[in-house]
Amino acid sequence: LGLDSGALKFSSDETLQATRKWLIRNGAIGLVLRQAVDSMLPVALLGVQPGHTVLDMCASPGSKTTQCVEALHAGGGEPAGVVIANDVSPQRAYTLVRRCDALGAAAARLAIVC
């Protein structure tokens, strides 16, 4: 959209307000994850593919973790590999569990530890 969160939040444009409400509603149930570009880079640079084993040592809030799980499912074939997601904080691990719950059946390739 080319907007920062403040511009989206305070815009009077009806389309932008509808977009904001859609993002909030779908973000709350885990269908949409908003993420900074710098958080997307590690998974892209690692080149996670089906069959890989990934250890995410600072996993919460879960954006990189969910990207890794999705990468295991790339290509449309049977998913292969596993993601082990760790966070030192029980509270942050709980956030991670909630976010990853939205992955549904894909979460079968995921282990969360604290």
Side-chain angles (χ1 to χ4, degrees), residues 1 5 17-18 31-32 34-36 43 62 70 86 90 96 98 105:
L1 294 173
S5 61
Q17 283 300 310
L31 293 178
V32 176
R34 292 181 277 175
Q35 176 177 21
V43 177
E70 289 170 354
N86 180 69
L96 178 63
R98 286 188 40 133

Side-chain angles (χ1 to χ4, degrees), residues 21-34:
K21 289 177 184 175
W22 184 88
L23 285 169
I24 291 169
R25 183 175 58 253
N26 289 289
I29 58 175
L31 293 178
V32 176
L33 300 175
R34 292 181 277 175

Side-chain angles (χ1 to χ4, degrees), residues 2-73:
L3 300 170
D4 65 25
S5 61
L8 188 60
K9 185 175 185 176
F10 299 113
S11 175
S12 60
D13 181 280
E14 289 182 23
T15 302
L16 291 179
Q17 283 300 310
T19 301
R20 179 177 178 269
K21 289 177 184 175
W22 184 88
L23 285 169
I24 291 169
R25 183 175 58 253
N26 289 289
I29 58 175
L31 293 178
V32 176
L33 300 175
R34 292 181 277 175
Q35 176 177 21
V37 173
D38 57 341
S39 292
M40 295 179 203
L41 289 176
V43 177
L45 292 174
L46 284 172
V48 177
Q49 299 176 16
H52 284 180
T53 298
V54 180
L55 176 60
D56 186 349
M57 291 299 294
C58 298
S60 187
S63 299
K64 292 183 296 296
T65 302
T66 56
Q67 275 184 275
C68 288
V69 171
E70 289 170 354
L72 297 179
H73 289 76

